[in-house]
Amino acid sequence: MMSSLLTNLGLTASNSLAPLPNYGPHFLLGNFILSYVLTSTRMQKLGYGVDNNINPRNDLVSPRAEQLVSKGKITQEQLEQMQRIQAAHSNSMEHYTVFAAAVLCSMVAKLDSGMLNRYATVYTIVRAAYFWVYRQNTSRQAAGVRSVLWWAGNIVCIRLFWFAGKALNAHVL
């Protein structure tokens, strides 16, 4: 069962002669959806009835945010969580471009598909965990975990850039 899961993820071949598929484009799409859609506060704000689609970036900042709390539309805890989610969403959108560039460089350099798939899997897991920790973060310890996860995502991208650069320069005389 575990080996078939790994095979389906492109992390192992179904047999020793089969080349591994390159799931780079799939990871790009999946991480785009994670970064731009799934981490958005839109659904939560709609659920609380506080979404202002005319100026949605203003929903969670003062003085509008304090008005939502003072009028009893949301609690201070709900506001703070949505503010953390919005911050995680912004960071996810910013970081997606780094990941996309690293994956594209890896594909241009024709890095081993298994390597690219493994790094992209780790990146996706790390970024999902980053979002979850940021969303739930109410302590200094959780903030430290969030920082470690942020750096882990960066290290994945840096390594992909490094390996792509080495592969591209291997052909230079």
Side-chain angles (χ1 to χ4, degrees):
M1 164 110 169
M2 183 57 128
S3 65
S4 66
L5 173 65
L6 295 176
T7 301
N8 289 333
L9 288 173
L11 303 178
T12 62
S14 56
N15 66 54
S16 61
L17 301 176
L20 291 174
N22 181 321
Y23 288 123
H26 299 87
F27 280 106
L28 290 174
L29 177 60
N31 278 278
F32 176 85
I33 292 168
L34 176 66
S35 298
Y36 285 85
V37 179
L38 298 179
T39 61
S40 173
T41 58
R42 178 58 47 105
M43 297 313 277
Q44 192 172 14
K45 290 190 301 186
L46 284 170
Y48 291 140
V50 298
D51 185 54
N52 172 10
N53 200 31
I54 295 169
N55 190 0
R57 293 181 184 212
N58 197 34
D59 286 345
L60 302 177
V61 296
S62 299
R64 172 136 168 83
E66 281 82 16
Q67 291 171 351
L68 295 173
V69 173
S70 67
K71 290 179 181 177
K73 290 193 173 252
I74 57 174
T75 66
Q76 184 66 34
E77 183 179 308
Q78 290 167 329
L79 171 63
E80 289 170 5
Q81 184 182 60
M82 283 192 296
Q83 288 171 331
R84 289 191 307 273
I85 292 169
Q86 183 61 45
H89 174 64
S90 295
N91 181 271
S92 293
M93 291 187 307
E94 294 161 1
H95 208 273
Y96 174 76
T97 58
V98 177
F99 175 68
V103 169
L104 292 173
C105 284
S106 298
M107 290 169 56
V108 167
K110 296 183 169 69
L111 290 185
D112 175 69
S113 293
M115 176 204 269
L116 174 58
N117 294 344
R118 282 187 295 280
Y119 275 92
T121 299
V122 169
Y123 178 86
T124 303
I125 292 167
V126 163
R127 289 304 296 185
Y130 170 87
F131 173 75
W132 181 255
V133 170
Y134 208 147
R135 179 185 190 279
Q136 300 302 111
N137 177 28
T138 58
S139 71
R140 193 168 190 81
Q141 183 180 10
V145 171
R146 184 190 80 223
S147 295
V148 168
L149 291 167
W150 184 81
W151 271 108
N154 285 329
I155 290 168
V156 167
C157 293
I158 290 167
R159 288 188 59 90
L160 285 174
F161 282 126
W162 178 265
F163 291 130
K166 283 180 72 171
L168 289 169
N169 288 319
H171 306 304
V172 177
L173 297 176

